[in-house]
Amino acid sequence: MALNGKIAVVTGAVMGIGKAVTELLLQNGAKVALLDVNRIAGESLMETLKKQYGQERTLLLNCNVESDEQIKAALQKTADTFGGIDILCNNAGIMNESTWERMVSINLMGVIRVTYVALEHMSKLAGGRGGVIVNTASLAGLGPLLNCPVYTATKHGVIGFTRAMADASTASGYGIRVNALCPSFVQTDLFTNVLSILRQSSHLAAATHQMIEKFGVLNVSEVADALLELVTDDTKNGEALIVVPNERNYITFPSILK
Ligand SMILES: NC(=O)C1=CN([C@@H]2O[C@H](COP(=O)(O)OP(=O)(O)OC[C@H]3O[C@@H](n4cnc5c(N)ncnc54)[C@H](O)[C@@H]3O)[C@@H](O)[C@H]2O)C=CC1
Ligand SMILES: CCCCCC(=O)CC\C=C/C=C/C=C/[C@@H](O)[C@@H](O)CCCC(=O)O
């Protein structure tokens, strides 16, 4: 998929990975609707983006992915403003085991909610143009993080949902590719906050620090570049792309499960 003129929706767009993804999509000619709950950071980012990319290529929408009503309004506003939706980056997520039900509602259910509303705009069966959906999972979606079992579960769920939706799209003729991005640790506020929590209490802090040592810490640009590959490579559907520093690999799932 060539990005010039394409219309993208990014959730969790104003900080961290989502901000890097938004900027890379804009650099490649796309228009971007930024969906987030952080108004202050969003308005500050929009000032920068409008100076760099003009007034017409970005749209900031206050949208909590826990709210079906807010999601429907945001995607309708995007379609009305830009003329449709071609790309969806389900990126919004948190890591807080002490509010695990909210984490499930955002990390997994949020991906499901936004995907289902986006199908009404993107699917060729609904009059859409087709397109691509990339869900930000995690390396913790492929293997367990012992200090955050519920976070692990949400990311495993994102990958399972991604692969099932990819197969459903192919079988149904939606014209939409659906892929998952599985980064290791990434230098963002989410990661910094986790480290501060570990310092305070977790008896599993040592094990987590060992994993950080083992897998390394990515910068957000490396993650955004990997997402761009999933967006632009029309051969990719139902894939899970692992991203670690200086390396990217597509996971091969057991053939019995294909
Ligand atoms: N930072 C890391 O080490 C890794 C992060 N990930 C995943 O990447 C995604 C982005 O994480 P980061 O950029 O690190 O986090 P971040 O905390 O830097 O940014 C997350 C963004 O999502 C927004 N957000 C949070 N809850 C929301 C909601 N209910 N509705 C709409 N927006 C909401 C926040 O306001 C923020 O702008 C998450 O899904 C996370 O699980 C995956 C692997 C590693
Ligand atoms: C705890 C902070 C979570 C931050 C957000 C993330 O999603 C980071 C995920 C990064 C890495 C996850 C690694 C998971 C590894 C497991 O699959 C397991 O293989 C670890 C085994 C480690 C070892 O070999 O000892």
Side-chain angles (χ1 to χ4, degrees), residues 95 138-140 143-145 147-148 151 184-185 190 194 211 214-215:
M95 210 318 278
S138 165
L139 204 51
L145 267 174
N147 68 326
C148 41
Y151 180 83
S184 66
F185 302 98
L190 180 149
V194 166
M211 278 191 275
K214 174 176 179 175
F215 292 104

Side-chain angles (χ1 to χ4, degrees), residues 161-189:
F161 178 71
T162 298
R163 297 179 68 217
M165 285 305 298
D167 288 353
S169 178
T170 300
S172 309
Y174 296 159
I176 301 170
R177 296 182 289 112
V178 192
N179 294 297
L181 189 64
C182 303
S184 66
F185 302 98
V186 188
Q187 195 56 59
T188 69
D189 284 2

Side-chain angles (χ1 to χ4, degrees), residues 11-18 35-38 63-66 91-94 102 106-107 136-139 151 155 183-191:
T11 68
V14 309
M15 300 280 286
I17 294 168
L35 278 51
D36 207 301
V37 292
N38 188 331
C63 177
N64 184 336
V65 299
E66 295 186 86
N91 171 75
I94 65 171
R102 176 168 173 261
I106 293 169
N107 292 15
T136 307
S138 165
L139 204 51
Y151 180 83
K155 295 304 184 178
S184 66
F185 302 98
V186 188
Q187 195 56 59
T188 69
D189 284 2
L190 180 149
F191 180 61

Side-chain angles (χ1 to χ4, degrees), residues 209-224:
H209 284 291
Q210 282 167 7
M211 278 191 275
I212 294 169
E213 280 299 309
K214 174 176 179 175
F215 292 104
V217 183
L218 293 152
N219 65 53
V220 290
S221 299
E222 291 174 279
V223 181

Side-chain angles (χ1 to χ4, degrees), residues 53-221:
Y53 299 104
Q55 298 295 315
E56 307 305 322
R57 292 180 54 204
T58 51
L59 179 65
L60 176 65
L61 297 168
N62 181 56
C63 177
N64 184 336
V65 299
E66 295 186 86
S67 164
D68 220 34
E69 183 184 354
Q70 292 184 25
I71 294 166
K72 287 177 179 174
L75 295 195
Q76 189 59 55
K77 179 69 175 174
T78 302
D80 293 347
T81 302
F82 290 141
I85 298 173
D86 302 296
I87 301 162
L88 169 61
C89 300
N90 278 313
N91 171 75
I94 65 171
M95 210 318 278
N96 187 339
E97 293 285 324
S98 61
T99 59
W100 66 267
E101 287 167 317
R102 176 168 173 261
M103 186 163 60
V104 172
S105 179
I106 293 169
N107 292 15
L108 175 57
M109 295 168 68
V111 169
I112 297 166
R113 290 189 196 97
V114 180
T115 297
Y116 281 170
V117 174
L119 287 182
E120 297 164 23
H121 293 275
M122 297 173 72
S123 172
K124 289 184 176 178
L125 301 188
R129 302 188 285 259
V132 58
I133 297 174
V134 181
N135 298 322
T136 307
S138 165
L139 204 51
L142 297 166
L145 267 174
L146 74 172
N147 68 326
C148 41
V150 178
Y151 180 83
T152 296
T154 67
K155 295 304 184 178
H156 275 65
V158 168
I159 290 175
F161 178 71
T162 298
R163 297 179 68 217
M165 285 305 298
D167 288 353
S169 178
T170 300
S172 309
Y174 296 159
I176 301 170
R177 296 182 289 112
V178 192
N179 294 297
L181 189 64
C182 303
S184 66
F185 302 98
V186 188
Q187 195 56 59
T188 69
D189 284 2
L190 180 149
F191 180 61
T192 304
N193 295 339
V194 166
L195 292 180
S196 63
I197 292 168
L198 287 176
R199 269 195 290 277
Q200 289 156 18
S201 61
S202 171
H203 65 288
L204 298 176
T208 305
H209 284 291
Q210 282 167 7
M211 278 191 275
I212 294 169
E213 280 299 309
K214 174 176 179 175
F215 292 104
V217 183
L218 293 152
N219 65 53
V220 290
S221 299

